[in-house]
Amino acid sequence: MEQFMQAAIEEAQLGLAEGGIPIGSVIVYQGRIIGRGHNRRVQRGSSILHGEMDAFENAGRQPAAVYRQAVLYTTLSPCAMCSGAILLYGIPRVVVGENRSFMGEEDLLRSRGVQVEVLQDATCSELMRHFIASQPQLWNEDIGVPAGAISPPL
């Protein structure tokens, strides 16, 4: 498990180095990564390329049976959009790096039978803490907070 979260962290760091938001994700099937991605909203001018969505896109078209046996690792708690994709494809297990910076739809996932494990990983937390402090407007945009509003505290 540690190696897969490390791969998600490397994706997040790559996104940050590209001028984007440091959130990364990998999808693992039978002990190997089949999709990896990072938040590319800034880099691609995209409205939907969160880290999890990018990992799904990069996994390519997979049979439903593959997703139903896969594990998704993500550095930050999945938002409503990404949680919807997790539910749509039947991912049974999600490992979250941290959820203190942002609490996504973990309760929804659990209510639908998804096993959610939160690590509170220090590296994931530090990546987000530094990013949010240095880019608050971009962070608020990414989580859907209107310009001028203050993002809700956790």
Side-chain angles (χ1 to χ4, degrees):
M1 174 174 65
E2 202 171 287
Q3 72 188 30
F4 299 126
M5 183 52 69
Q6 184 57 45
I9 290 169
E10 289 167 7
E11 285 292 323
Q13 291 167 330
L14 180 58
L16 184 63
E18 294 171 352
I21 300 162
I23 303 167
S25 184
V26 297
I27 300 171
V28 177
Y29 172 69
Q30 294 184 343
R32 69 179 183 83
I33 296 172
I34 62 168
R36 58 176 60 233
H38 52 275
N39 188 305
R40 294 179 196 246
R41 290 185 67 250
V42 172
Q43 300 92 311
R44 298 257 177 100
S46 171
S47 60
I48 62 169
L49 278 182
H50 282 188
E52 299 90 337
M53 301 301 278
D54 194 40
F56 276 116
E57 180 69 15
N58 291 326
R61 186 174 159 199
Q62 298 291 330
V66 169
Y67 288 122
R68 294 196 186 307
Q69 297 176 43
V71 179
L72 185 140
Y73 291 80
T74 182
T75 58
L76 188 65
S77 186
C79 72
M81 175 179 64
C82 297
S83 293
I86 289 163
L87 293 172
L88 177 68
Y89 291 108
I91 302 284
R93 183 168 171 242
V94 176
V95 180
V96 176
E98 69 103 352
N99 65 3
R100 291 182 180 132
S101 301
F102 176 78
M103 173 58 78
E105 299 297 328
E106 293 173 23
D107 289 343
L108 171 64
L109 292 171
R110 287 184 181 107
S111 78
R112 298 280 297 273
V114 177
Q115 178 189 352
V116 179
E117 180 181 350
V118 181
L119 303 178
Q120 301 303 6
D121 180 86
T123 302
C124 294
S125 295
E126 280 300 299
L127 274 168
M128 290 311 302
R129 188 178 68 74
H130 287 297
F131 178 77
I132 292 168
S134 67
Q135 300 275 350
Q137 289 179 310
L138 182 54
W139 170 243
N140 285 343
E141 174 191 317
D142 196 59
I143 60 172
V145 174
I150 299 171
S151 57
L154 291 178

